[in-house]
Amino acid sequence: MQRPLELSPVSDRERFFDSSRFVALWASFSLGFPALLLGVRLGTEGAGGFGLSFGQLAFIIPLGVVAGAVILAAVAVIGSDVGVPGVLMLQPSYGVAGSWLMAVLVSALYLAWAAFEIQLGARLLGRLLNEFEVPLDDLITTAIVAVVVGVLLFAGLARVAGIWIRRFAIWVALAVLAGILWKVSDITGGAALSERVPVQGKFWLGVDAVVLLMMVWLPLAADTARFTKDTTIALGGAGFGFGVGTGALLLSGSFVGIVTSVAPTEDGLTAVLLEGAGFVTLLAAGLWLLAGETDQPFGFVYGASTSLGGLFLRRAPVLLMIVVLAGAGAGAYLLDEGTLFDVGRLFAGIIAVMFSVVLADFYVVRRRRYLADGLYQRRGFYRGVNLLGLVAFVLGVAVQQWIDPIGPPAVVDVVRDLLPGAGNWADDNGAPATLMGMTAAFVLYAGLGRILIKEWESVSTLRI
């Protein structure tokens, strides 16, 4: 069996993901704190919240989840068809040199999100230990979570998915999800859900926020799907497995937000869920920390290591994984939650536009045909820079940021200075920035690519 960080094409006999393993992997990836936090934000009124009503959420969350799941599944199918890591899969869309830039952006995204997840896990661990009167410094709890993630990384994707997640983590996560649903039903009682007055102009902003959350996982969908036995497994695992779990947590969090009006932060949500907690509840929270808040940073560090390793056209060395994990752990300890979240959102939007160009290139322009040898040649078929891909990418990001600037405050200020009127359309009309930026990039590349890129006729499908 091929090691998951190996960058050579994956043959049929080396594909170890069957349907149950891949669905379990992606369902486990979905069951984490970020989806709960976004749900709280959708339902909470006031600063940082959308203040949406139950009726709006009943449409917004399914619509956003379905749209995100379709995009995620489409990228997973590319990974399964092509059988190479994401950084090499980007070469036809951006050229060899252009794909290097994209690999750095993907790595930056996953470093930020890995740090965010490790930080959440460390804070939850600290809070649980305090309940048992075992206080530990933030540095120690961060190091503990990072070490657990490191153990999973050294175990490898096949063992993590087949043993850790399939036999332990997914069942713990599902049990905790059931507990959260019970807790939410106990909190809500039903009355407050029907009393909220719908907010005008926030419908598509809510849909866009759900889609943006799911777009964080696009590079990892391609990287893991190359080990699926066929494209149907890739389609169902990344789409259905991730979509169902994400939708359940979003709904749960939104109900909590509507009824309690808690601040949409990790501290506020945890306080509500652990209020009046007994030993069993605390034990369940500890198991979820072990099962649910370690596999997500595992996936992010794995994705960043694979992307950076792809720059050298060889297997990502163990040292690279250690460096990436150490960087994520340092970020988790040194940076505050708001900064990590803002940086993560910025790069999530950028990656969403990046892969919209890839979708246009693969499905519309080259019609699911890539030249196998060209993906492993610096000066081969895809050498240099694909200017059309870069132009479409820059346009999509510009459209996205003009509609609704996201990122750290310093970045938002620069965007508002460079793009007059930035943010007005989202504020006045509730325009979905991520979806519109992705659409702009997709349409430009697909339309001009069919005219300007002719070589699709001479390439073959990579499937060995």
Side-chain angles (χ1 to χ4, degrees):
M1 180 182 295
Q2 185 184 48
R3 291 179 62 83
L5 285 181
E6 196 71 48
L7 299 179
S8 57
V10 183
S11 66
D12 285 342
R13 65 178 178 276
E14 294 170 323
R15 295 173 181 255
F16 55 82
F17 272 129
D18 56 19
S19 181
S20 61
R21 288 186 181 184
F22 203 58
V23 170
L25 174 71
W26 279 92
S28 183
F29 279 157
S30 72
L31 299 175
F33 246 65
L36 267 175
L37 288 173
L38 176 58
V40 172
R41 188 179 175 216
L42 292 174
T44 298
E45 292 182 304
F50 285 71
L52 299 167
S53 68
F54 173 71
Q56 289 175 312
L57 290 167
F59 287 96
I60 287 171
I61 291 177
L63 182 58
V65 167
V66 169
V70 167
I71 297 170
L72 200 68
V75 170
V77 168
I78 301 177
S80 181
D81 272 4
V82 178
V84 301
V87 63
L88 301 182
M89 190 183 76
L90 297 173
Q91 290 183 3
S93 304
Y94 298 103
V96 173
S99 70
W100 298 343
L101 170 63
M102 302 303 161
V104 172
L105 292 175
V106 169
S107 300
L109 165 75
Y110 278 171
L111 267 173
W113 276 94
F116 182 63
E117 292 278 7
I118 291 173
Q119 185 181 88
L120 289 178
R123 288 183 176 178
L124 179 58
L125 175 61
R127 186 170 287 106
L128 292 175
L129 291 175
N130 283 331
E131 294 290 337
F132 291 106
E133 298 183 353
V134 185
L136 288 180
D137 183 79
D138 287 345
L139 178 61
I140 297 176
T141 55
T142 301
I144 292 173
V145 175
V147 167
V148 175
V149 174
V151 171
L152 296 181
L153 286 167
F154 284 107
L157 182 62
R159 291 188 182 91
V160 169
I163 300 175
W164 174 258
I165 289 179
R166 190 182 183 190
R167 299 181 182 179
F168 172 69
I170 185 62
W171 302 109
V172 171
L174 289 174
V176 172
L177 174 61
I180 291 174
L181 292 174
W182 176 84
K183 180 74 173 180
V184 168
S185 66
D186 184 56
I187 293 172
T188 58
L193 297 180
S194 60
E195 294 173 357
R196 174 71 60 81
V197 177
V199 180
Q200 300 300 316
K202 293 262 182 103
F203 183 91
W204 287 108
L205 287 178
V207 173
D208 202 60
V210 174
V211 172
L212 181 61
L213 172 70
M214 301 185 72
M215 296 303 94
V216 171
W217 298 88
L218 287 177
L220 195 60
D223 274 339
T224 56
R226 60 193 171 111
F227 296 105
T228 55
K229 295 182 182 296
D230 58 58
T231 54
T232 304
I233 294 173
L235 186 71
F240 176 79
F242 193 82
V244 170
T246 300
L249 288 182
L250 285 170
L251 283 171
S252 300
S254 65
F255 292 170
V256 172
I258 289 176
V259 175
T260 65
S261 296
V262 64
T265 63
E266 180 264 343
D267 288 337
L269 177 59
T270 304
V272 170
L273 294 179
L274 294 183
E275 182 180 1
F279 177 80
V280 175
T281 303
L282 293 174
L283 178 63
L287 288 174
W288 192 35
L289 166 67
L290 185 64
E293 290 304 315
T294 54
D295 57 4
Q296 290 192 353
F298 155 77
F300 293 141
V301 175
Y302 167 79
S305 302
T306 304
S307 295
L308 292 175
L311 298 177
F312 308 103
L313 284 181
R314 58 189 177 89
R315 187 167 74 83
V318 173
L319 178 61
L320 181 57
M321 267 196 320
I322 296 175
V323 170
V324 172
L325 178 59
Y333 178 69
L334 297 174
L335 300 177
D336 62 83
E337 176 185 334
T339 299
L340 288 173
F341 182 70
D342 288 341
V343 172
R345 287 182 67 219
L346 172 63
F347 281 108
I350 291 173
I351 266 62
V353 174
M354 178 194 302
F355 275 84
S356 69
V357 174
V358 175
L359 291 171
D361 181 80
F362 185 75
Y363 287 104
V364 179
V365 176
R366 304 185 199 267
R367 305 181 191 183
R368 298 183 68 171
R369 295 180 176 93
Y370 281 167
L371 183 65
D373 294 340
L375 296 172
Y376 289 89
Q377 297 172 0
R378 297 293 196 196
R379 300 182 180 180
F381 200 68
Y382 303 114
R383 64 185 179 275
V385 176
N386 183 340
L387 290 177
L388 178 58
L390 287 181
V391 169
F393 169 73
V394 171
L395 173 68
V397 172
V399 168
Q400 178 193 63
Q401 290 286 7
W402 180 75
I403 293 173
D404 186 17
I406 57 175
V411 174
V412 173
D413 291 341
V414 171
V415 170
R416 292 185 184 277
D417 291 338
L418 293 176
L419 302 175
N424 293 343
W425 204 6
D427 294 338
D428 297 339
N429 304 300
T434 302
L435 288 171
M436 296 187 74
M438 293 178 70
T439 301
F442 184 95
V443 170
L444 176 64
Y445 189 91
L448 294 181
R450 290 297 298 269
I451 299 171
L452 301 177
I453 300 176
K454 303 293 185 181
E455 64 263 22
W456 68 268
E457 298 173 347
S458 63
V459 302
S460 59
T461 302
L462 174 59
R463 184 79 176 186
I464 58 175

